Amino acid sequence: MFTDKESFKQAYLSKVIEGDGTTVDEATQWDKFVALVALLKEKMSHHRSTNKKSMSQGKQVYYFSMEFLIGKLLHNYLVNFKLEEFIREGLLELNINLDDLLEQEVDPGLGNGGLGRLAACFLDSMAFLGIEGHGNGIRYKYGLFEQKIMGGNQVEVADNWLKNGYPWEMRKPDKAVVIKFKGTVRTELNEGKISFLHENYESVLAVPYDVPIMSYDNPLYINNLRLWSAETICGDLDLACFNRGEYKQSISNKSEVESISYILYPDDSSPAGRELRLKQEYFFVAAGLGSIVRSYKKRNGSGSLHNFSRRVSVHINDTHPVLCIPELMRILMDEEEMGWDEAWNITVNTVSFTNHTIMPEAMEKWSIDLIKSLLPRILQIIEEIDRRFKEDLIARFMDEDEVIRNTQIFKDGYIWMAHLAIIGSSSVNGVAQLHTKILKNEVFKDYYRVFGYKFNNKTNGVNHRRFLLAANPKLSHLITEAIGPYWKEEAGELKKLLVYKDDHSFLEQLAYVKYENKCRFAEVVKHKQGLLIDPQSIFDVQVKRIHAYKRQLLNVLKIMHLYNEAMNDPESLTGSHTFIFGGKAAPNYHYAKIVIKLIHALSQKIEHDPRVNQKLKVVFIENFNVSQGELIYPAADISEQISSASKEASGTGNMKFMMNGALTLGTLDGANVEIKEAVGEDNIFIFGLTAEKVLDYTRNGGYKSWDEYHVNSDIRTCVDQLNCGFFDNMGEEFRVLFDSLMIYNDEFFILKDFHSYLEMHDKLQTLYRNKKEWNRISLVNIATSGRFSSDRTIREYADWIWKIRYRTVNKGINSH
Ligand SMILES: *Cc1c(COP(=O)(O)O)cnc(C)c1O
């Protein structure tokens, strides 16, 4: 196995020939990329096999998630293995630019936003901490979609990310699992024991594809992300069917089966779409648990599963994998012949659950009829869980109808998945302190009375090795020069940077790094979208999924206001501003698509107005994804975290910006509250209603958007501009936004928060002129961001939820 530049070059040359039979000079960039990946994979499995004996045989954690937004892997793995430098040099001596090869990799279409990215950060931290923690998900053939902008509109193009193949994955056909859908359940009485026989079902083969997860400087722990793909049982075609001449039938069976892992988020506005989504959920749950039980038996002897919950933790990321609960019950009872009570004990003690949202429309529920036809045995088990739960509950809360009513799994013909998750797991966590408080006191307050001991908080974190060390090499270098390299292992070490907060020369270097990152980003925008942005201007950035509660509209109204002000008084604008937006709108979410259109209309309006176009600029970054994020977060001056308080469970973008020295302009929502605690109130720019006030308005009324409109001429001007031909060639386009504010009473308090938002933005605008003070605050943000590393989050999960040990990292020689 290669260990230095020379042996690498040798190994690489033979890898290229092996791959394609061509020499390096003839090989395509793709071939050269694939060869490098193959070589790294070999190096990893070499590490793994030589170190097998030292691998622990402790508890295994399985993280079930519908999404893993992992981003590109090659660069991170080179950084993690500390190989980048000599591989870059070695390749250069072969006339190959490493950056060209890195360009070849595509972002896997395996997630769509914060939830999927969190799962990916957790995989890294588990591997780093030496936890045997594996991901379990779906190998979607197509991702959400690739976003293109045409004429200011979002256009969705199929995200065919697997088109050239994915060299990191390894297909494991011998580890396939058979999944059963539909059919009937027959009960049989044998010697006083009832057994349940699932018959006339349709089988689907789940075939795993494994992706190796390796973290920083820890080659002993290479974990596994197992992604399941749906195939027909008998290989390519139903041959019997085919031979009978029923060609169409046999091909349509095949495509029906394969549709299960065809695409992330099938459009669920039709009944057929909903059925497919439910199939996906059961598919990866049943496949995952099937393979976990199989490997458990291999590790622990093929005896019984009595000790299962001591050796296995199954964590479910939101409710999408909640069928883990009835499915594990099914395995333990129907296949392992356990009684209900023992199976229930094991299940509850194995499963833990993270809740991600309090938005009522995002609470998952499934029609009973659908579950009945698709998963008849699972429905029986859920019914029995419900029956027993109610029995206990009535004994405890006899006179409290409300508790009993609000904790039902079955309601109005639907099964409430969050309720099943709370009842069937040992831990229920929120993702930031504020969010957990709202879960306990509002959303699940009755469950909190029943199961108070299950509720806990685990504030989210992000992988600081991806979003700082790898994504921002210049800043990383500066940090390491100042405080040594140990922060890479222990993000809390960043605190040591605080001694530089009044060091003039250090602060100037910090500012210069920011400037270089802005130039890097500007280059990419120019190259990809042909847009020119000025790296000397303030980069004011809001990148995240487009959603009403995230209030991109508030940001747009602010820019419209700045424009209006500049028309009246050209001196009102100080400095030059680049407002950067990015994010996808769900394909059937009309409001969000119109917000994208508005951003583009405003961008055009400003661009064509010579009175302001030197001072204001609005750009929309196409197809925001992890790779784009890795360029944008390090380049931002201002981080816009402006959700309507109480609505953003945690946010993780806020943490990535902070780590890279952006100043937060935000509401007291999600983890912003804890960012404020960490950084100190003078170093964050908070505005708007508190969560308490928002919840109070929502419950008791008392807010009228018309009042804000009438009292306030600034607001009136901007709001009217949505509706009066202010934007060229726009008919009734923005009427839906106007209506959301004025007819539907501004559900997210945009007008209510407008002025305090403007005030804080103005304060930042002024502060930006005081370079020294700005840089000091930027440094304090970086220095205090350590607690938002997902290493901290995963240590908390390990200590309190999974009850599992992890490695402690030795302090580097540079620390005391
Ligand atoms: C971090 C991240 C998100 C989450 O951003 P929020 O601001 O927390 O909503 C979404 N998408 C991508 C690609 C990310 O990297």
Side-chain angles (χ1 to χ4, degrees):
M1 200 37 54
F2 69 90
T3 49
D4 57 16
K5 190 171 74 183
E6 286 312 316
S7 54
F8 163 73
K9 276 161 63 182
Q10 285 307 316
Y12 183 70
L13 285 173
S14 40
K15 199 41 92 198
V16 174
I17 293 174
E18 228 174 84
D20 216 44
T22 51
T23 65
V24 167
D25 296 328
E26 296 160 24
T28 63
Q29 298 286 29
W30 175 260
D31 295 334
K32 290 183 229 173
F33 159 69
V34 171
L36 185 54
V37 170
L39 201 57
L40 274 180
K41 273 166 63 177
E42 239 169 54
K43 192 171 169 72
M44 288 179 203
S45 58
H46 180 72
H47 269 297
R48 184 146 45 178
S49 58
T50 51
N51 290 302
K52 204 148 205 163
K53 275 179 232 84
S54 61
M55 294 271 283
S56 98
Q57 289 291 310
K59 197 175 191 183
Q60 308 277 316
V61 176
Y62 296 94
Y63 196 83
F64 280 56
S65 178
M66 199 80 174
E67 300 181 25
F68 288 91
L69 196 57
I70 55 179
K72 298 185 184 187
L73 299 181
L74 179 55
H75 182 238
N76 275 262
Y77 285 2
L78 293 176
V79 171
N80 288 347
F81 258 153
K82 300 183 177 169
L83 296 173
E84 183 175 1
E85 205 167 327
F86 79 68
I87 287 192
R88 185 178 287 281
E89 284 169 15
L91 287 173
L92 209 56
E93 288 168 20
L94 302 172
N95 256 327
I96 298 169
N97 182 345
L98 175 61
D99 292 329
D100 293 339
L101 304 197
L102 297 177
E103 273 286 300
Q104 293 295 311
E105 187 168 6
V106 295
D107 279 40
L110 297 172
N112 85 83
L115 173 142
R117 185 53 234 174
L118 184 77
C121 288
F122 283 4
L123 292 180
D124 176 88
S125 286
M126 287 193 288
F128 174 72
L129 291 167
I131 292 170
E132 291 173 82
H134 310 286
N136 188 73
I138 299 176
R139 180 181 179 268
Y140 303 104
K141 188 157 185 235
Y142 291 91
L144 187 66
F145 59 83
E146 196 187 321
Q147 181 192 52
K148 291 242 164 30
I149 302 293
M150 286 163 137
N153 293 303
Q154 167 176 297
V155 176
E156 297 106 27
V157 180
D159 173 18
N160 189 4
W161 69 282
L162 279 168
K163 138 181 97 205
N164 296 329
Y166 185 55
W168 290 108
E169 70 183 7
M170 189 101 85
R171 180 181 159 90
K172 299 274 175 66
D174 57 317
K175 299 206 160 71
V177 176
V178 176
I179 313 296
K180 299 170 182 172
F181 289 104
K182 301 188 179 169
T184 50
V185 180
R186 187 163 59 84
T187 47
E188 215 177 63
L189 198 63
N190 269 330
E191 295 162 12
K193 206 167 177 288
I194 302 180
S195 41
F196 296 86
L197 304 167
H198 189 184
E199 298 173 328
N200 308 314
Y201 49 78
E202 295 171 8
S203 302
V204 171
L205 194 66
V207 180
Y209 287 71
D210 290 352
V211 178
I213 303 296
M214 47 148 288
S215 183
Y216 185 75
D217 201 24
N218 190 8
L220 292 187
Y221 285 90
I222 296 167
N223 286 336
N224 194 19
L225 168 57
R226 178 156 282 181
L227 300 169
W228 298 94
S229 180
E231 297 183 8
T232 50
I233 292 276
C234 54
D236 274 349
L237 284 172
D238 185 340
L239 206 58
C241 198
F242 199 79
N243 288 340
R244 282 197 303 274
E246 297 159 6
Y247 310 120
K248 274 202 180 133
Q249 177 68 33
S250 78
I251 287 170
S252 92
N253 280 348
K254 178 173 147 69
S255 45
E256 190 185 328
V257 164
E258 289 173 358
S259 70
I260 293 175
S261 55
Y262 203 66
I263 189 161
L264 173 71
Y265 277 96
D267 181 354
D268 59 4
S269 51
S270 72
R274 278 194 290 278
E275 178 177 323
L276 186 53
R277 173 99 172 146
L278 183 62
K279 270 189 182 168
Q280 289 186 328
E281 294 186 357
Y282 183 69
F283 170 75
F284 91 106
V285 157
L289 285 174
S291 95
I292 290 168
V293 167
R294 190 160 58 194
S295 84
Y296 177 88
K297 289 182 167 174
K298 209 167 128 200
R299 274 183 297 127
N300 299 288
S302 57
S304 81
L305 273 67
H306 298 294
N307 287 321
F308 191 75
S309 62
R310 252 176 270 159
R311 310 250 161 88
V312 172
S313 274
V314 169
H315 198 90
I316 58 180
N317 193 25
D318 215 330
T319 53
H320 319 126
V322 77
L323 293 173
C324 274
I325 292 162
E327 174 64 8
L328 186 53
M329 288 296 286
R330 189 195 65 76
I331 294 173
L332 295 174
M333 295 189 305
D334 297 1
E335 291 176 13
E336 303 295 323
E337 305 189 328
M338 263 181 211
W340 180 280
D341 290 330
E342 185 181 15
W344 183 245
N345 255 327
I346 290 174
T347 299
V348 172
N349 286 317
T350 300
V351 178
S352 44
F353 162 55
T354 298
N355 170 284
H356 280 272
T357 179
I358 63 157
M359 303 284 285
E361 66 269 28
M363 290 282 176
E364 238 191 329
K365 53 186 202 287
W366 288 106
S367 112
I368 298 172
D369 293 339
L370 181 57
I371 298 213
K372 185 176 192 148
S373 71
L374 206 59
L375 307 166
R377 178 62 184 135
I378 292 297
L379 179 66
Q380 288 181 338
I381 293 171
I382 299 174
E383 284 169 340
E384 183 62 10
I385 292 172
D386 180 61
R387 193 187 67 77
R388 289 174 184 244
F389 171 69
K390 274 213 219 98
E391 212 170 75
D392 287 352
L393 198 66
I394 289 168
R396 271 181 71 190
F397 293 87
M398 215 157 352
D399 311 318
E400 301 190 51
D401 286 352
E402 189 143 329
V403 174
I404 293 166
R405 206 162 354 104
N406 291 339
T407 55
Q408 315 210 61
I409 299 178
F410 291 85
K411 217 163 56 182
D412 308 328
Y414 287 92
I415 299 181
W416 290 69
M417 304 308 254
H419 296 191
L420 181 57
I422 296 169
I423 295 167
S425 63
S426 53
S427 165
V428 179
N429 76 279
V431 289
Q433 281 164 14
L434 174 66
H435 172 235
T436 302
K437 204 167 100 189
I438 294 172
L439 292 182
K440 288 176 179 175
N441 301 336
E442 311 272 337
V443 184
F444 296 133
K445 67 172 191 295
D446 295 292
Y447 275 114
Y448 185 52
R449 291 192 55 200
V450 182
F451 295 125
Y453 60 93
K454 292 189 183 183
F455 284 77
N456 64 92
N457 176 248
K458 298 286 167 282
T459 300
N460 283 168
V462 300
N463 176 3
H464 74 284
R465 287 171 294 272
R466 176 176 284 266
F467 289 103
L468 177 51
L469 175 62
N472 197 342
K474 294 207 157 90
L475 180 56
S476 301
H477 185 72
L478 185 63
I479 294 172
T480 303
E481 292 224 304
I483 63 169
Y486 183 50
W487 64 273
K488 301 171 189 178
E489 278 119 329
E490 175 47 68
E493 284 285 296
L494 290 168
K495 271 253 152 66
K496 290 187 173 158
L497 287 171
L498 285 175
V499 302
Y500 294 94
K501 78 181 158 57
D502 297 306
D503 182 323
H504 204 67
S505 126
F506 190 83
L507 293 179
E508 297 225 307
Q509 292 178 65
L510 182 68
Y512 191 66
V513 164
K514 178 64 78 182
Y515 175 72
E516 289 181 297
N517 287 332
K518 288 163 82 171
C519 293
R520 174 178 74 160
F521 178 62
E523 272 303 310
V524 173
V525 173
K526 185 170 131 196
H527 175 71
K528 282 206 178 141
Q529 293 180 228
L531 298 173
L532 296 179
I533 55 181
D534 173 12
Q536 304 279 5
S537 62
I538 307 185
F539 282 14
D540 181 327
V541 186
Q542 187 173 22
V543 286
K544 50 182 75 229
R545 290 299 299 272
I546 312 289
H547 206 291
Y549 84 81
K550 292 179 183 275
R551 301 201 296 189
Q552 280 89 358
L553 180 57
L554 174 59
N555 194 347
V556 174
L557 290 172
K558 171 192 74 187
I559 304 167
M560 288 167 64
H561 174 77
L562 294 176
Y563 174 89
N564 294 335
E565 287 274 276
M567 289 299 115
N568 296 331
D569 169 17
E571 301 301 301
S572 69
L573 269 177
T574 55
S576 121
H577 302 251
T578 303
F579 296 95
I580 298 165
F581 290 87
K584 294 177 186 175
N588 52 10
Y589 189 0
H590 182 60
Y591 174 100
K593 291 182 137 177
I594 295 298
V595 167
I596 292 178
K597 178 136 208 176
L598 177 64
I599 293 168
H600 284 92
L602 180 59
S603 172
Q604 289 295 304
K605 178 98 189 167
I606 290 172
E607 187 72 41
H608 294 144
D609 193 330
R611 292 167 297 180
V612 288
N613 64 12
Q614 298 302 307
K615 283 184 154 182
L616 292 180
K617 186 159 190 106
V618 177
V619 297
F620 188 92
I621 303 306
E622 265 177 10
N623 202 41
F624 177 62
N625 60 13
V626 176
S627 293
Q628 301 263 32
E630 287 164 2
L631 294 167
I632 297 171
Y633 297 119
D637 295 307
I638 298 177
S639 158
E640 298 270 357
Q641 305 302 333
I642 61 175
S643 54
S644 165
S646 80
K647 297 296 185 288
E648 186 75 86
S650 162
T652 49
N654 45 4
M655 303 167 183
K656 300 173 205 164
F657 280 110
M658 178 196 192
M659 268 173 195
N660 284 285
L663 275 50
T664 304
L665 172 54
T667 49
L668 280 179
D669 200 14
N672 296 354
V673 177
E674 289 154 78
I675 290 179
K676 175 177 163 226
E677 260 168 40
V679 80
E681 63 182 353
D682 297 336
N683 301 310
I684 187 166
F685 300 83
I686 297 290
F687 70 93
L689 295 175
T690 60
E692 241 172 17
K693 193 70 204 161
V694 167
L695 292 170
D696 180 54
Y697 274 135
T698 310
R699 209 172 347 186
N700 304 318
Y703 171 58
K704 291 201 198 65
S705 61
W706 278 103
D707 293 346
E708 308 299 316
Y709 177 90
H710 283 304
V711 171
N712 210 300
S713 66
D714 295 341
I715 290 183
R716 207 156 53 236
T717 309
C718 296
V719 171
D720 285 344
Q721 282 169 341
L722 294 175
N723 206 19
C724 73
F726 171 72
F727 296 103
D728 311 323
N729 308 319
M730 294 289 163
E732 291 274 281
E733 254 92 354
F734 304 129
R735 178 81 206 191
V736 55
L737 305 179
F738 178 89
D739 287 355
S740 77
L741 296 171
M742 303 314 306
I743 310 286
Y744 299 101
N745 199 34
D746 186 15
E747 188 185 348
F748 297 106
F749 304 95
I750 288 176
L751 303 187
K752 186 81 190 164
D753 282 351
F754 189 64
H755 266 112
S756 59
Y757 180 48
L758 287 182
E759 225 169 88
M760 270 304 151
H761 179 263
D762 195 54
K763 195 167 158 186
L764 276 168
Q765 187 179 284
T766 310
L767 183 68
Y768 196 70
R769 280 180 296 170
N770 183 351
K771 283 281 180 293
K772 182 154 183 237
E773 183 61 6
W774 182 282
N775 297 335
R776 193 187 59 76
I777 296 177
S778 172
L779 180 76
V780 175
N781 270 273
I782 300 164
T784 53
S785 67
R787 77 156 91 161
F788 301 106
S789 164
S790 48
D791 293 350
R792 188 268 310 145
T793 314
I794 286 297
R795 283 193 203 103
E796 292 177 3
Y797 275 84
D799 285 334
W800 301 105
I801 300 180
W802 304 328
K803 315 255 181 358
I804 188 174
R805 288 198 300 202
Y806 43 86
R807 81 176 172 140
T808 47
V809 185
N810 293 324
K811 280 204 156 196
I813 40 168
N814 284 298
S815 36
H816 49 251

